[in-house]
């Protein structure tokens, strides 16, 4: 990945996650609480650090993002309010987008609406897939 592509990927992850990666002091509390710690090549605090340094391509190739249970234990334990789980979710979404697999527009919604589908699910999907 070239320098400009790295910066663009970093900006996308930061924007999609809403996390300020510079707040991380690398104390490791998030990783120490992670139930998937033993299964992961990169741990929650390393995700934050690697995004901060623009090492997105390495993370995109790693299976660690898919070992995350999205339990948000790392978010709960962080003394600085950094949310590693949100970064991991943004990374997953970026991988999907690189494969051109997931885009939703407002025009797609009417076809998805039925009486059993909660409106919150539609709004959530639009927010997630249109970023």
């Amino acid at each position: 990945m070239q320098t400009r592509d790295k910066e663009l990927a970093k900006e996308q992850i930061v924007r999609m996650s809403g996390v300020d990666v510079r707040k991380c002091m690398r104390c490791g509390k998030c990783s120490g609480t992670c139930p998937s710690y033993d299964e992961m090549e990169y741990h929650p605090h390393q995700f934050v650090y690697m995004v901060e340094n623009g090492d997105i391509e390495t993370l995109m190739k790693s299976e660690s993002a898919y070992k995350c249970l999205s339990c948000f234990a790392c978010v709960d334990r962080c003394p600085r309010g950094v949310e590693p789980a949100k970064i991991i979710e943004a990374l997953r979404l970026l991988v999907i987008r690189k494969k051109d697999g997931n885009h939703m527009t407002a025009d797609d919604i009417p076809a998805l609406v039925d009486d059993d589908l909660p409106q919150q699910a539609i709004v959530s999907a639009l927010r997630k897939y249109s970023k």
Side-chain angles (χ1 to χ4, degrees):
M1 231 182 217
Q2 294 182 1
T3 304
R4 178 67 188 135
D5 292 339
K6 285 182 181 181
E7 282 300 313
L8 182 60
K10 176 183 172 180
E11 288 172 20
Q12 284 181 306
I13 288 178
V14 168
R15 183 177 45 82
M16 288 188 296
S17 68
V19 173
D20 182 358
V21 293
R22 296 170 298 172
K23 289 175 28 179
C24 179
M25 60 185 180
R26 294 182 244 329
C27 66
K29 287 185 178 183
C30 58
S31 295
T33 232
C34 179
S36 296
Y37 182 88
D38 292 333
E39 303 295 321
M40 299 174 87
E41 176 183 7
Y42 301 109
H43 305 107
H45 75 282
Q46 291 172 313
F47 270 88
V48 176
Y49 180 71
M50 292 170 83
V51 168
E52 183 180 0
N53 289 328
D55 197 6
I56 310 301
E57 189 172 11
T58 303
L59 290 175
M60 290 176 74
K61 292 178 182 177
S62 172
E63 290 296 314
S64 292
Y66 304 100
K67 302 288 183 174
C68 172
L69 301 173
S70 299
C71 67
F72 285 80
C74 56
V75 172
D76 193 41
R77 288 285 291 149
C78 181
R80 304 279 314 260
V82 179
E83 299 170 301
K86 288 186 176 183
I87 289 174
I88 294 170
E89 180 65 28
L91 180 75
R92 290 175 183 162
L93 188 55
L94 187 63
V95 169
I96 290 169
R97 287 183 178 173
K98 291 285 183 192
K99 295 179 181 177
D100 291 328
N102 242 341
H103 294 281
M104 180 181 273
T105 65
D107 295 333
D108 297 332
I109 293 175
L112 301 173
V113 177
D114 65 24
D115 293 336
D116 297 327
L117 186 66
Q119 290 180 352
Q120 293 91 339
I122 298 167
V123 172
S124 177
L126 181 64
R127 286 181 182 156
K128 183 174 182 177
Y129 297 120
S130 65
K131 288 184 181 177

